[in-house]
Amino acid sequence: MIATLILQLFVLCTSTSASVISQKPLVPQASPTWTPDPLPLVIWHGLGDNYKAEGLRSVGDLAQEVNPGTFTYFVRLDSDPSSDRTATFFGNLTLQVAKVCADLAAHPILSTAPAINAIGFSQGGQFLRAYVERCNKPPVANLVTFGSQHNGISQFQKCAATDWVCQGAQGLLRGNTWSQFVQNRLVPAQYFRDPENLDAYLENSNFLADVNNERVFKNETYKQNLVMLEKFVMYLFSEDTTVVPKESSWFSEVNATTGKETKLKDRPIYQEDWLGLKTLDEHNKLEFRLTEGGHMQLSDELLTEVFKQYFTPKAKAN
């Protein structure tokens, strides 16, 4: 009954596709961020969270404490916190990213800033990367992701026994991952990626196959925008059991049967520079960071380090 009601709420969602053009060599350009004032900070939360959550707000308070004057914007897909949480499970990611693009471009403070910094928690990390690739207005200077699923997931997250929204989503996901209905409406399905069934993934994925430029035709705009980053920092949680495989946080691919990991630098996405990750790496702009603990176990000490290292204004840091 619950799953049926939820389905009815999202039956109007539709999918769209991104345009593609051929690749060209790129050289990253510096963003105009040499300013004595801290850039605005945009935060996109993860699955099952909402933009008004107390823990999320405390991150914004800490950013202000470390770099006084920091304006923090929390991405929301609905002004109602409950509906915003529901949107982490249900919705078309193409439309959701487009909405965030429009919201940030129209924001009176963000739209007039020379650039913004961005933090993505869990799935919010790959969604912010999609923002950079697809619109990037205002442009992101430094993108930091924590436990994000940049190379997708091969297992769906477990739900709490009383989390009916999550339970309803899981009921649809099992056995229906590649149907158009599910790909247009179930958020985790749109970044599901099974290395042992890539044909189905490449043919049907509504989101990840596109933003990772894995199809035959590559979107040059994605690469052009991503190499504009001053830093792209990816944190992996050492004891993460929520994200399967956890190495997805570093764009690694893991064989579910053998457990063999193929690291980013050994994959075509890097070697052929489909997204500009190799270009960023060659200019010392790509960082792989490991932090102890389980999924989203973040300390104030770690966040403080991130705010100081990546978000302190250059004019003050030098």
Side-chain angles (χ1 to χ4, degrees):
M1 174 65 72
I2 294 171
T4 301
L5 291 174
I6 294 173
L7 283 175
Q8 292 173 346
L9 291 174
F10 295 94
V11 73
L12 296 179
C13 293
T14 57
S15 64
T16 59
S17 59
S19 60
V20 293
I21 55 178
S22 61
Q23 288 186 317
K24 298 176 183 178
L26 294 172
V27 176
Q29 303 295 320
S31 300
T33 58
W34 192 272
T35 169
D37 301 314
L39 294 174
L41 174 62
V42 171
I43 299 176
W44 198 327
H45 60 79
L47 185 70
D49 211 343
N50 75 81
Y51 79 102
K52 281 194 172 181
E54 182 178 347
L56 203 63
R57 295 285 162 162
S58 68
V59 175
D61 292 341
L62 184 61
Q64 164 70 19
E65 180 182 327
V66 175
N67 292 309
T70 299
F71 172 80
T72 302
Y73 176 86
F74 302 93
V75 170
R76 74 290 311 262
L77 293 166
D78 196 289
S79 59
D80 173 64
S82 179
S83 297
D84 184 54
R85 181 182 186 274
T86 298
T88 69
F89 293 98
F90 295 95
N92 185 310
L93 282 174
T94 297
L95 302 179
Q96 290 186 353
V97 172
K99 181 186 186 309
V100 173
C101 287
D103 289 349
L104 269 57
H107 193 280
I109 294 177
L110 301 177
S111 63
T112 58
I116 59 176
N117 288 320
I119 288 181
F121 293 129
S122 195
Q123 68 178 19
Q126 62 260 30
F127 300 166
L128 275 171
R129 176 165 61 84
Y131 164 84
V132 173
E133 294 174 12
R134 290 181 172 177
C135 46
N136 208 32
K137 294 180 181 179
V140 174
N142 301 288
L143 173 60
V144 180
T145 65
F146 288 95
S148 298
Q149 302 88 49
H150 289 296
N151 199 51
I153 55 173
S154 58
Q155 292 182 24
F156 294 114
Q157 181 176 326
K158 295 180 179 179
C159 303
T162 57
D163 191 340
W164 302 116
V165 174
C166 180
Q167 295 281 6
Q170 291 285 43
L172 288 171
L173 289 170
R174 296 187 183 96
N176 299 290
T177 302
W178 302 122
S179 71
Q180 185 176 8
F181 185 89
V182 168
Q183 280 296 313
N184 287 341
R185 294 165 177 82
L186 275 293
V187 170
Q190 295 167 67
Y191 55 84
F192 183 83
R193 185 183 186 278
D194 182 357
E196 298 182 8
N197 192 15
L198 287 180
D199 288 344
Y201 162 75
L202 292 172
E203 181 179 354
N204 299 293
S205 173
N206 181 57
F207 175 74
L208 191 69
D210 178 70
V211 298
N212 281 7
N213 252 349
E214 291 186 87
R215 295 190 170 109
V216 175
F217 296 102
K218 311 301 181 188
N219 192 320
E220 178 68 9
T221 299
Y222 292 178
K223 182 176 178 179
Q224 289 175 337
N225 286 346
L226 204 62
V227 299
M228 293 292 291
L229 291 171
E230 294 182 7
K231 284 287 185 182
F232 182 11
V233 185
M234 302 176 291
Y235 277 87
L236 183 153
F237 293 97
S238 63
E239 306 303 321
D240 197 334
T241 58
T242 300
V243 174
V244 180
K246 65 183 180 183
E247 293 83 4
S248 180
S249 297
W250 285 349
F251 277 97
S252 291
E253 181 169 290
V254 178
N255 185 297
T257 302
T258 65
K260 179 182 178 182
E261 177 186 358
T262 304
K263 296 182 182 297
L264 172 62
K265 293 183 180 182
D266 296 321
R267 301 182 59 213
I269 191 174
Y270 179 92
Q271 294 173 345
E272 299 174 17
D273 213 15
W274 297 348
L275 283 176
L277 297 172
K278 182 178 181 180
T279 300
L280 285 172
D281 193 28
E282 290 174 343
H283 289 80
N284 299 315
K285 295 184 175 186
L286 185 68
E287 295 189 13
F288 303 82
R289 303 295 296 271
L290 181 69
T291 185
E292 298 299 318
H295 189 66
M296 294 311 301
Q297 290 185 356
L298 292 166
S299 66
D300 284 354
E301 290 76 16
L302 174 59
L303 289 171
T304 297
E305 175 188 326
V306 169
F307 295 151
K308 287 182 177 179
Q309 185 169 353
Y310 302 111
F311 299 158
T312 296
K314 290 181 178 178
K316 292 182 178 180
N318 293 288

